Amino acid sequence: MGTIPGRRLIISLFLIFLLLPIYWLINMSFKTNSEIVSTMTLWPHQPTIENYMRIFTDESWYSGYINSLKYVVINTVISISVALPAAYAFSRYRFLGDKHLFFWLLSNRMAPAAVFALPFFNLYSAIGLFDTPWAVALAHCIFNVPLAVWILEGFVSSVPREIDETAFLDGYSFPRFFIKILVPLIASGIGVAAFFCFMFSWVELLLARTLTSVDAKPISAVMTRTVSAAGMDWGLLAAAGVLTIIPGALVIWFVRNYIARGFALGRV
Amino acid sequence: MDKTVNQKAWFLVLPVFLVVAFSAVLPLMTVVNYSLQDTFGNNQFFWNGVGWFKELLDPTTDLGERFFASLWRNLLFSAIILAIEVPLGIVVALAMPREGWTVAVCLVILALPLLIPFNVVGTIWQIFGRPDIGLLGYTLNSLGIPYNYVSNEFDAWATVIVMDVWHWTSLVALLCYAGLKSIPDAYYQAAQIDGASRWAVFRAIQLPKMNRVLLIAVLLRFMDSFMIYTEPFVVTGGGPGNSTTFISIELVKIALGQFDLGKAAALSLVYNLIILIVCWVFYTVMTNAGAERPQKEGSV
């Protein structure tokens, strides 16, 4: 009910439009550079996995992925663990300044990263965290913590308050109630929030690039430096790109019904 | 839904408050500090009052000219992508299948561009649009349409816009789809009995039900397109000339390229203020919508 005429055609065309550039990237990643430059082929005529092999064997490449994963994981753990109690507080209680605080959190989620690039650079250099995964992980907290609070607040609010009350009547202490009852109840919500923290930290480039130089260089920065280098290695760049898409593509199936909710900060 | 007043809840919020204060308030104070001072290096700072702000807001100076040029460019960009993505997103949401295995397939493919790192989105389109090795650029050129996003301003804009449509239309579509799914079948049956046309169903049932999600989508898209940095930076680097230099790109150029602390800080604050105002509208929409929710469920 409620669909429009010609809907199959419309949706098919749109999905093809979405998939075509991605297909092209995958196609390039399996070609040799001579094939890329010399001929225009719709699929790799001499398929090769050499591009991928180079990434997995060259340390300057694969360490980029490891560095990225490091700060993304640290960030996700910090974000979720500080956001959980706060989400419960916002969902259940009224307290001094709660609305202002909630808005302030949102405004940080929306603040342009470009504004914070320079002060973060100074701040983390001053406290000696520059070029470590911790600097990027903490910097990404500025948008991921608010995001996690907003998403989790929505999930906590969907748990009936009677459950809290019953648990307290049964003699559960607050920490025990929190870990034994609340967390399992909103497990899917925690999964969704963790997924979005992971994703937003994974896709961010500006702060990650500004706060690292050598030791903690993330994959996105490794890629941009290859782009600016003379003599493009397109196949290698494409392969690196394909590998960054994989984490998202792996979990996408499990979160497909929550995508809209996550991007709308749990408000849909 | 009455919440109990409990000031001890602050203890639960404290960790979040500390983390965000550390990464937001501290840096922002540095920015305020820089914006009022001038430096000639060596960590020597001189009081400059509102000098930078005056220069920034005066289009006759170099800084002001750059600021307003990138601001208008960015607003134009946001307006264009909203004008394309919102109607297209609605159409796609309406065209989505409602049941069966195709729903899951559509959802997964729609979500795919949203989860690709921003710089890889740039890389994908950089490759896809190149006249020598990209499918799009090659096809257009062989059809006799000269297309080169590196040297032609119009082509650069077209590429950046199509890229953004590719990247984010799914978000609008997914939000609208979530709105559409919440419409009970009874509404459509009633419309059928009344003999309502397809258009009437859209105007009277679907659009009002999508109102709130659409507003959220428009605000989210506006804010994110207003802060866009990585994708155009990777594809065009802000060029040719300055034609695709949006505010964030301009700001990073001034801050990290020239290390012009005072100018960058003044620009940052004005930029942040604009975002804050839009954000406040967004917040009002979101929280009002939340207050409306239980009431709506009760009335159905």
Side-chain angles (χ1 to χ4, degrees):
Chain A
M1 274 312 261
T3 53
I4 48 176
R7 65 174 186 79
R8 286 228 172 76
L9 185 69
I10 294 171
I11 193 84
S12 310
L13 282 178
F14 188 71
L15 295 184
I16 290 170
F17 167 63
L18 291 186
L19 287 175
L20 212 51
I22 299 177
Y23 167 73
W24 199 250
L25 189 77
I26 298 172
N27 176 17
M28 298 272 282
S29 73
F30 286 108
K31 286 181 182 179
T32 58
N33 269 321
S34 61
E35 189 182 344
I36 291 172
V37 177
S38 61
T39 52
M40 191 73 193
T41 46
L42 290 179
W43 64 89
H45 288 293
Q46 299 142 339
T48 170
I49 54 163
E50 193 199 333
N51 295 319
Y52 290 96
M53 288 313 290
R54 263 191 65 191
I55 291 173
F56 287 124
T57 51
D58 183 348
E59 205 209 324
S60 65
W61 273 101
Y62 69 75
S63 68
Y65 287 98
I66 298 171
N67 291 335
S68 290
L69 279 176
K70 268 189 207 157
Y71 69 71
V72 168
V73 170
I74 298 174
N75 171 271
T76 306
V77 171
I78 297 178
S79 301
I80 296 296
S81 43
V82 299
L84 257 177
Y88 181 80
F90 280 119
S91 157
R92 292 291 194 263
Y93 302 121
R94 299 194 54 187
F95 47 93
L96 193 66
D98 55 351
K99 293 209 172 90
H100 299 106
L101 196 61
F102 211 50
F103 171 66
W104 178 62
L105 285 177
L106 176 75
S107 73
N108 283 315
R109 153 68 181 84
M110 300 301 176
V115 168
F116 288 95
L118 180 66
F120 273 165
F121 177 79
N122 287 345
L123 175 68
Y124 290 111
S125 302
I127 56 177
L129 284 178
F130 179 73
D131 203 17
T132 63
W134 288 95
V136 187
L138 285 171
H140 283 178
C141 279
I142 193 173
F143 50 83
N144 269 350
V145 168
L147 177 84
V149 172
W150 271 67
I151 293 180
L152 287 172
E153 195 267 344
F155 280 97
V156 175
S157 294
S158 66
V159 174
R161 191 180 310 225
E162 289 73 28
I163 290 183
D164 308 21
E165 286 156 11
T166 321
F168 292 135
L169 283 178
D170 285 349
Y172 276 80
S173 66
F174 183 75
R176 215 171 134 231
F177 154 76
F178 207 83
I179 293 161
K180 288 265 169 173
I181 295 180
L182 189 73
V183 169
L185 272 177
I186 56 165
S188 63
I190 295 175
V192 171
F195 169 76
F196 276 94
C197 289
F198 186 93
M199 264 348 281
F200 279 113
S201 181
W202 181 252
V203 300
E204 207 276 340
L205 167 75
L206 178 55
L207 292 176
R209 202 186 50 174
T210 310
L211 296 177
T212 55
S213 60
V214 184
D215 295 336
K217 197 158 74 168
I219 182 60
S220 41
V222 178
M223 281 179 71
T224 49
R225 279 174 209 189
T226 314
V227 173
S228 58
M232 296 287 215
D233 198 340
W234 291 111
L236 192 64
L237 182 68
V242 171
L243 288 176
T244 63
I245 301 177
I246 287 177
L250 280 181
V251 278
I252 201 169
W253 180 262
F254 303 102
V255 293
R256 64 181 186 279
N257 293 319
Y258 294 105
I259 299 279
R261 194 167 182 181
F263 274 97
L265 301 145
R267 299 296 122 154
V268 170
Chain B
M1 272 296 266
D2 301 316
K3 295 178 182 175
T4 30
V5 178
N6 184 350
Q7 303 299 347
K8 278 188 201 145
W10 257 101
F11 288 109
L12 297 173
V13 183
L14 200 63
V16 161
F17 181 77
L18 290 178
V19 169
V20 179
F22 176 75
S23 31
V25 179
L26 225 55
L28 216 53
M29 287 336 283
T30 333
V31 174
V32 173
N33 197 8
Y34 284 150
S35 74
L36 300 173
Q37 301 186 60
D38 196 0
T39 176
F40 301 103
N42 289 333
N43 262 331
Q44 286 183 309
F45 285 90
F46 302 94
W47 178 251
N48 192 25
V50 291
W52 294 124
F53 291 97
K54 270 190 188 151
E55 204 180 320
L56 183 75
L57 298 176
D58 179 3
T60 54
T61 62
D62 175 54
L63 178 67
E65 196 190 324
R66 284 168 72 181
F67 168 62
F68 281 105
S70 60
L71 177 68
W72 296 133
R73 219 176 275 138
N74 214 149
L75 286 174
L76 179 65
F77 173 73
S78 298
I80 294 176
I81 61 117
L82 279 176
I84 300 175
E85 287 175 14
V86 171
L88 186 60
I90 295 176
V91 169
V92 171
L94 287 171
M96 282 276 287
R98 288 285 177 275
E99 52 209 10
W101 59 274
T102 43
V103 179
V105 173
C106 286
L107 284 177
V108 166
I109 298 176
L110 280 179
L112 200 54
L114 301 174
L115 307 178
I116 296 176
F118 295 171
N119 69 310
V120 178
V121 170
T123 307
I124 288 177
W125 281 89
Q126 187 192 27
I127 292 176
F128 197 59
R130 276 181 72 96
D132 51 346
I133 60 169
L135 186 63
L136 176 70
Y138 184 83
T139 315
L140 283 179
N141 280 307
S142 26
L143 287 175
I145 305 163
Y147 166 85
N148 187 333
Y149 65 80
V150 182
S151 59
N152 184 305
E153 276 189 26
F154 179 79
D155 293 348
W157 264 82
T159 312
V160 172
I161 286 167
V162 172
M163 174 173 67
D164 202 81
V165 168
W166 178 83
H167 192 184
W168 290 111
T169 303
S170 300
L171 177 63
V172 182
L174 286 169
L175 283 168
C176 290
Y177 181 68
L180 282 176
K181 256 199 335 194
S182 68
I183 304 176
D185 262 349
Y187 282 47
Y188 294 119
Q189 283 153 12
Q192 214 172 11
I193 292 167
D194 290 346
S197 67
R198 187 70 204 75
W199 177 245
V201 170
F202 177 70
R203 280 296 310 276
I205 300 175
Q206 290 174 324
L207 202 58
K209 277 285 181 181
M210 279 194 295
N211 244 342
R212 201 184 90 235
V213 282
L214 264 183
L215 204 54
I216 293 174
V218 168
L219 286 165
L220 271 178
R221 281 313 304 132
F222 175 76
M223 270 184 289
D224 285 342
S225 64
F226 200 64
M227 300 190 273
I228 192 164
Y229 172 81
T230 311
E231 301 96 312
F233 179 77
V234 172
V235 176
T236 65
N242 278 329
S243 57
T244 51
T245 303
F246 301 118
I247 302 186
S248 275
I249 299 180
E250 191 71 82
L251 175 56
V252 172
K253 260 191 209 166
I254 298 174
L256 296 167
Q258 303 162 221
F259 256 90
D260 243 329
L261 301 184
K263 290 178 183 176
L267 175 53
S268 295
L269 286 180
V270 173
Y271 190 13
N272 227 357
L273 193 69
I274 301 173
I275 294 277
L276 205 64
I277 293 167
V278 186
C279 200
W280 186 78
V281 177
F282 185 79
Y283 176 77
T284 320
V285 171
M286 290 291 225
T287 43
N288 281 351
E292 234 170 75
R293 221 173 349 177
Q295 187 193 329
K296 251 187 198 163
E297 277 162 9
S299 67
V300 170

